[in-house]
Amino acid sequence: MQIASRKVINSWCMYDWANSAYNLVITSTIFPAYYEAITKNRMPDNEVVFLGRKFVNTALYNYALGTAFIVVAFISPILTSIADYRGNKRNFMRFFCTMGAIFCSLLYFFAPTPVTAETTRLSSTSLDIGIICMVLSCIGFWASLVFYNSFLPDLVPHRLRDRISARGYTWGYIGSVILQILCFIVVFFPKAFGFNSQYEMDYMPARVSFVLVGVWWFGFAQIPLRHLPISTVNERHERKNVFSNGFLELKKVWSQLKHMPVLKLFLLSFFWYSAGIQTVFLAATQFGAKELHLPTDKLIITIMIIQLVAIPGAILISRASERFGNIKTLMVCVLVWIGACIGAYFTYTDIQFYFLGAIVGLVMGGIQSLSRSTYSNLMPETKDTASFFSFYDVTEKIALVMGMFTFAYIEERTIRYGGMRNSVLALMVFFMLGFVWLGLTMSALRKANKQWAIGNKQ
């Protein structure tokens, strides 16, 4: 296939630069810490009321995220079907990017009301606004990635996908760290920005950060949205019903998997270890705030360590895959994750948490990048890349829903007997199952003699 121009490839990578700020500030650092701070109360076990039901505050957060991923998993097949039919993946990417950025910015209105000079109260209306905006921004973020990921096979051939995928993640980490530093300055030097009252200093910096993320995401996304290609008329498929066709396409992909045992085994392994990875990433800040009682500055330091270590980590894992093969490298990464879960259960100090963050960061971006490119390389030659990546994304989202709901359910049921520590330990089971299926994938690849995946040394 013809390789896209450097300008187009770099524009594709720039979307990682744009949207990774959301994943860092909203998903991982400031928003989870802010949410924990304003929802904790004197009710038993920090319970809050949402839609008439009592929830442990952090469990509600995880259930809400899980619901967002259920929506994404359901709508992705429909959206990719429409995109294939109209040849406008870029336009759908633009819509969900814009939607996500807007609702991310609207998190500014998720705030407690001052009662006295020293006390505040979070109204049910404000909680509703926060949860709804969080869910809709999350849907925008992940739905846009369905279309972003599906561009990779259209831009470069097999031999370059590992490296370009890693470049995208690397740019994303760099961009997100830059914006995180800007938000960090606002959070820890509020008086320099005119926030003088105690209420303003406690709540306004975080709220301003949410707006900054929305503007950064939307602004830099205009680069890929301008330069990524729109498919030609000849590349578009005839569809009788674009709304049902997406699910028919998933069924078609599943039918094809029956004749592609290696890809099927890889997807099973990806399902299990992805459930663990995404859940750890989404719950890390909550764990630090609730179990270790770490203040916001130490939580941000931990996530910054993860991001900074992840930049060389993604490159290192990409190089390791070239030397030792994709599957062997993934298996080592999963073993590191298993060790991280055990380590988290026995973590009680901020230094231990920093060290754990460094270990997680080393394999975080690399395993995601390598998983994406491995799947891309195992795919059959097809122009219907959106459908195959829709299947990939639906697999990831269903796994994530299972991981988040499992994490929240175990915390609620064992809140007085370990809580989140039990949830983290339970995630180890997901990684162990992923490791087993990767081993089976390795065996299948040896039979198929796929050198790029199993390494040059037998």
Side-chain angles (χ1 to χ4, degrees), residues 200 332 415:
E200 289 179 337
V332 171
I415 189 67

Side-chain angles (χ1 to χ4, degrees), residues 57 66 77 90 111 141 185 192 197 211 222 244-245 254 272 288 298 306 337 348 401 429 452 457:
N57 61 340
R90 191 175 72 180
F141 173 80
I185 294 172
S197 70
V211 177
Q222 301 313 303
S244 63
N245 186 76
W254 176 252
W272 289 112
K298 291 188 176 182
I306 292 175
W337 278 103
Y348 291 94
V401 169
V429 177
W452 62 268
K457 295 182 180 180

Side-chain angles (χ1 to χ4, degrees), residues 12 16 19-20 23-24 27-28 69 141-142 145 148-149 152 161-170 172-173 176 266 270 273-282 306-307 310-311 313-315 317-318 321 326 329-334 337 360-377 389 392-393 396-397 400 431 438:
W12 179 82
D16 248 318
N19 72 4
S20 291
N23 218 18
L24 179 58
T27 301
S28 306
F69 291 120
F141 173 80
W142 287 99
L145 287 182
Y148 168 66
N149 287 334
L152 181 59
R161 289 175 192 169
D162 286 357
R163 184 162 294 188
I164 298 304
S165 180
R167 184 191 300 179
Y169 273 101
T170 301
Y173 283 121
S176 61
F266 175 74
F270 172 74
Y273 69 73
S274 180
I277 292 170
Q278 298 293 343
T279 304
V280 169
F281 187 68
L282 292 171
I306 292 175
Q307 298 297 311
I311 296 171
I315 298 172
I317 289 174
S318 174
S321 69
N326 290 34
T329 306
L330 286 171
M331 291 177 76
V332 171
C333 290
V334 171
W337 278 103
V360 167
L362 191 64
V363 293
M364 173 68 77
I367 193 171
Q368 291 176 311
S369 170
L370 192 57
S371 296
R372 178 171 64 183
S373 59
T374 300
Y375 178 79
S376 177
N377 284 329
F389 267 97
Y392 179 83
D393 284 302
E396 183 180 40
K397 301 308 173 293
L400 200 154
F431 289 113
L438 279 173

Side-chain angles (χ1 to χ4, degrees), residues 42-78:
R42 296 181 180 179
M43 294 178 66
D45 306 321
N46 289 323
E47 290 180 334
V48 294
V49 178
F50 180 73
L51 299 180
R53 182 187 183 280
K54 289 183 179 180
F55 296 87
V56 174
N57 61 340
T58 47
L60 171 62
Y61 180 91
N62 291 323
Y63 283 135
L65 282 179
T67 300
F69 291 120
I70 289 175
V71 173
V72 173
F74 179 76
I75 66 174
S76 290
I78 300 174

